[in-house]
Amino acid sequence: MAHDLTGGLTGTDLEGFHTGGDTECWRRLGAHELVLFDDERGEIHGTRFAVWAPNATQVRLNADFNWWTGDDMHLIPGSGVWALFVEGVGTGALYKYNVLGADGVWHEKVDPVGFFAEQAPNNASIVYSSTYQWSDQDWLSRRATAQPHAEAMSIYELHLGSWRKGKSYRELADEIVEYVTWQGFTHVEFMPVTEHPFEPSWGYQVTNYFAPQSRLGHPDEFRHLVDRLHQAGIGVILDWVPGHFPKDDWALGRFDGTALYEHADPRQGEHKDWGTYIFNYGRNEVKSFLVSNALYWVTEYHIDALRVDAVASMLYLDYSRNEGEWVPNIYGGRENLEAIDFLRYVNSHLYERVPGVVMIAEESTSFDGVTKPVHAGGLGFGFKWNMGWMNDSLRYLAEEPIHRQYHHDLMTFAMVYAYSENFILPISHDEVVHGKGSMINKVPQDSWRQFATLRSFYSFMWGFPGKKLIFAGCEFGQRSEFNEAVALEWWVSDLWGHRGLQLLFKDLNRIYRENPALWQLDSEPAGFRWINADDRGANTFSWLRSDEAGNQVAVISNFSSEPWTSYRIGLPAAGAWEEILNSDAELYDGTGTFGNLGQITATAVPWNGQPASATLVVPPLGTVYLRHRG
């Protein structure tokens, strides 16, 4: 029957794709195992292949089941989509599309909506139907009623391919769950798992947007990894890259001999710095493709949050361009209005469709309203990485302790704009690559001071408003830069300094989770109050964190090499304040000699604008947390 040639796919099925309203285009495009019914033969099992190539004059299906000789596909009238149903073909079949483009040249392409792909250097798409049975219903039910802004979020960012080099998704499911549970992080964030042939791109140059990388296993094995994390109570964030795509001639670029997914004008369609193409966000089919892709990972793989990479490069037409190398918008401005509309669309749609999902922006400028709701004129993200805080903090840490007094404001300035967005404080992979040095090697002086400074800084960070993110290896002070070609230097985590830092993170995460004052009001002024923001002479900062019930934690951080043995701070209440963290504890490879014997006692002596005060010991290059006991 004629419709069987296209597996029952019609132009009506594709109308939403062409209007930009098909947010599940993977159900129509790509390779799908189907059972068709024939009046004479009954059930016919096979696979329908469908690909959008509107400017092609001919498309053939090249596959292992036809000895790569090519079977002609059929153009569905008025759709620009070519389809073919092939009887007897199922999971595991290899295929590509051979596209005779508008330029008169044959282009062999992989499936833009392929669900699985060969390992590089091979690149054929693979027919794949999931048979995975999920066991994370309890997690999804809890997630649906979650309030992310008012909950604890400490994120462990990692690169799956090198966290423990050579491990598969299945092996990582055991090892990551065990380690992250022991360390106490609430979430993991995976650098992009979408298929990418060039390993040093870390996944940020994607060739197969719907396929998890095959180096580590099959798609259902990645589902197993996510499932295991959820069963352990750990959320999963995935890096998503809608900002650009690489120019590999077998992938999305010039797909049908024309600029199909990308802008034709290189002033709008290419990132010179990265050697990549930029999506044409104003094209309806591209919007359908990208919004569908975001929803696909969230629904088909149960991902809890998408961290959108390089948002600034999407927002600005002149991003990394000189005068005359970009095209202004219709109002003469530099904002990419089509990209802004697209981001609002994808954020709105995912929040509407998937209860509890979170969208996170890696956005490095002061663009207004990144985390404001779309209906209030914002972009609609849930969180934004605080790149300003990160840059300022790392500049401060790099200073010799004696010079930090002249750069004190670097550590306090973030509170000036703290409530302009909902922030995540990131110490990500970007800070420990390309000659920037590891975190420990950013800090001056000897090993003792380096480790002490890091312990103090991470304690400062965990006590500061905003959700937390660190990159794998930072938690045990790896000295080498991140290198995707080798595993993390796990062996050093048994050594002095490294082990102490790792144990500090374990306790930091426990204390953080146990004290809502450290996270419940992150995005509200009521959750934070400086005790003393101006003690630059002592390189010391102190503040209060509060929760909705009025419980309070005081944080005191000393970034000088001197101990302060009688340091007076104002406190909101008299009575006992328990020392719940001291980064100089012997357990963490500190001195163990500059503590407060478990608690201090505040008396009704006003200080720092507070009704009570106390003196305490603040260790050199150390941070102390105090919790009011009454």
Side-chain angles (χ1 to χ4, degrees), residues 143-194:
R143 189 184 75 182
T145 59
Q147 297 179 293
H149 300 104
E151 296 183 4
M153 183 182 286
S154 63
I155 304 165
Y156 185 65
E157 183 196 27
L158 63 98
H159 178 252
L160 279 171
S162 61
W163 185 73
R164 286 183 176 156
K165 192 74 174 175
K167 301 287 187 178
S168 67
Y169 290 131
R170 284 202 163 273
E171 292 168 321
L172 290 167
D174 293 331
E175 296 182 20
I176 292 175
V177 167
E178 179 185 17
Y179 183 72
V180 173
T181 299
W182 177 71
Q183 280 278 273
F185 291 95
T186 67
H187 292 72
V188 294
E189 178 172 329
F190 296 141
M191 293 163 70
V193 302
T194 33

Side-chain angles (χ1 to χ4, degrees), residues 386-630:
N386 193 338
M387 310 296 277
W389 171 88
M390 177 273 298
N391 283 313
D392 288 347
S393 299
L394 296 187
R395 281 179 56 201
Y396 182 83
L397 288 188
E399 294 290 337
E400 293 282 345
I402 197 170
H403 295 147
R404 287 177 181 151
Q405 60 186 307
Y406 306 113
H407 305 276
H408 194 79
D409 295 348
L410 290 173
M411 295 294 271
T412 60
F413 182 64
M415 289 311 302
V416 172
Y417 59 87
Y419 307 110
S420 61
E421 304 281 3
N422 302 317
F423 284 119
I424 291 174
L425 309 180
I427 299 296
S428 75
H429 69 276
D430 276 332
E431 314 323 318
V432 292
V433 292
H434 299 327
K436 295 178 184 176
S438 63
M439 280 295 290
I440 193 161
N441 285 335
K442 296 180 193 297
V443 181
Q445 300 198 349
D446 59 24
S447 287
W448 189 91
R449 288 176 175 82
Q450 288 179 318
F451 279 112
T453 301
L454 283 187
R455 292 195 304 270
S456 188
F457 170 68
Y458 290 129
S459 301
F460 177 105
M461 175 180 175
W462 253 242
F464 205 72
K467 310 310 180 187
K468 326 299 177 189
L469 178 145
I470 63 140
F471 184 59
C474 293
E475 82 279 13
F476 59 81
Q478 174 167 309
R479 287 193 177 275
S480 298
E481 282 193 334
F482 167 52
N483 179 358
E484 81 291 334
V486 296
L488 296 181
E489 295 174 352
W490 290 104
W491 60 274
V492 306
S493 66
D494 289 331
L495 302 179
W496 177 91
H498 301 278
R499 182 64 171 176
L501 185 57
Q502 192 178 40
L503 292 174
L504 172 76
F505 265 104
K506 183 177 186 294
D507 282 354
L508 271 179
N509 280 324
R510 175 184 56 79
I511 292 165
Y512 174 69
R513 294 171 82 155
E514 289 175 354
N515 290 276
L518 295 174
W519 43 263
Q520 193 174 63
L521 299 177
D522 269 335
S523 300
E524 300 179 36
F528 176 92
R529 181 174 176 179
W530 285 113
I531 296 173
N532 188 345
D534 301 318
D535 193 0
R536 64 179 61 240
N539 292 354
T540 298
F541 309 83
S542 52
W543 65 88
L544 291 165
R545 299 298 310 276
S546 305
D547 65 16
E548 291 176 345
N551 299 306
Q552 295 185 308
V553 173
V555 180
I556 307 94
S557 284
N558 173 16
F559 287 98
S560 80
S561 297
E562 298 297 320
W564 309 129
T565 55
S566 299
Y567 192 81
R568 181 171 289 275
I569 59 167
L571 290 167
W577 287 74
E578 177 187 6
E579 185 179 69
I580 56 174
L581 179 82
N582 186 321
S583 69
D584 189 49
E586 195 171 359
L587 174 65
Y588 312 136
D589 294 330
T591 68
T593 59
F594 296 102
N596 294 282
L597 302 178
Q599 73 174 40
I600 62 170
T601 301
T603 58
V605 176
W607 200 263
N608 299 131
Q610 300 285 348
S613 64
T615 58
L616 71 151
V617 176
V618 189
L621 300 171
T623 291
V624 171
Y625 289 4
L626 304 171
R627 179 171 60 197
H628 187 231
R629 292 177 56 185

Side-chain angles (χ1 to χ4, degrees), residues 88-107:
V89 169
T91 289
L94 307 180
Y95 70 99
K96 297 182 182 181
Y97 298 121
N98 207 11
V99 181
L100 181 58
D103 53 1
V105 176
W106 284 98
H107 305 267

Side-chain angles (χ1 to χ4, degrees), residues 223-365:
R223 287 182 171 92
H224 172 71
L225 169 57
V226 175
D227 199 1
R228 284 287 311 281
L229 285 160
H230 282 172
Q231 291 174 55
I234 299 164
V236 181
I237 302 169
L238 184 65
D239 277 13
W240 186 54
V241 192
H244 63 123
F245 60 92
K247 295 182 176 180
D248 300 76
D249 58 8
W250 45 268
L252 289 179
R254 304 297 192 263
F255 192 83
D256 62 359
T258 69
L260 191 61
Y261 288 88
E262 68 274 29
H263 269 286
D265 188 334
R267 294 175 300 168
Q268 297 170 280
E270 293 186 32
H271 276 306
K272 299 291 187 183
D273 291 354
W274 301 332
T276 53
Y277 289 129
I278 301 171
F279 282 104
N280 183 350
Y281 305 107
R283 186 162 198 165
N284 285 336
E285 293 88 351
V286 173
K287 285 192 284 189
S288 287
F289 175 84
L290 287 172
V291 176
S292 294
N293 186 245
L295 186 64
Y296 172 80
W297 288 103
V298 167
T299 57
E300 297 297 308
Y301 287 89
H302 292 199
I303 299 299
D304 302 297
L306 295 178
R307 176 268 200 182
V308 184
D309 179 62
V311 170
S313 75
M314 301 171 67
L315 294 176
Y316 298 103
L317 296 163
D318 63 346
Y319 181 86
S320 194
R321 295 176 188 273
N322 298 317
E323 194 68 38
E325 295 179 348
W326 58 282
V327 180
N329 63 35
I330 57 173
Y331 304 109
R334 56 196 282 257
E335 296 80 15
N336 188 333
L337 303 180
E338 293 171 342
I340 290 169
D341 286 344
F342 162 72
L343 289 169
R344 288 172 170 162
Y345 177 29
V346 70
N347 288 334
S348 299
H349 188 73
L350 263 67
Y351 276 107
E352 181 182 322
R353 285 288 298 277
V354 186
V357 74
V358 177
M359 298 294 287
I360 302 167
E362 187 233 351
E363 202 283 310
S364 55
T365 74

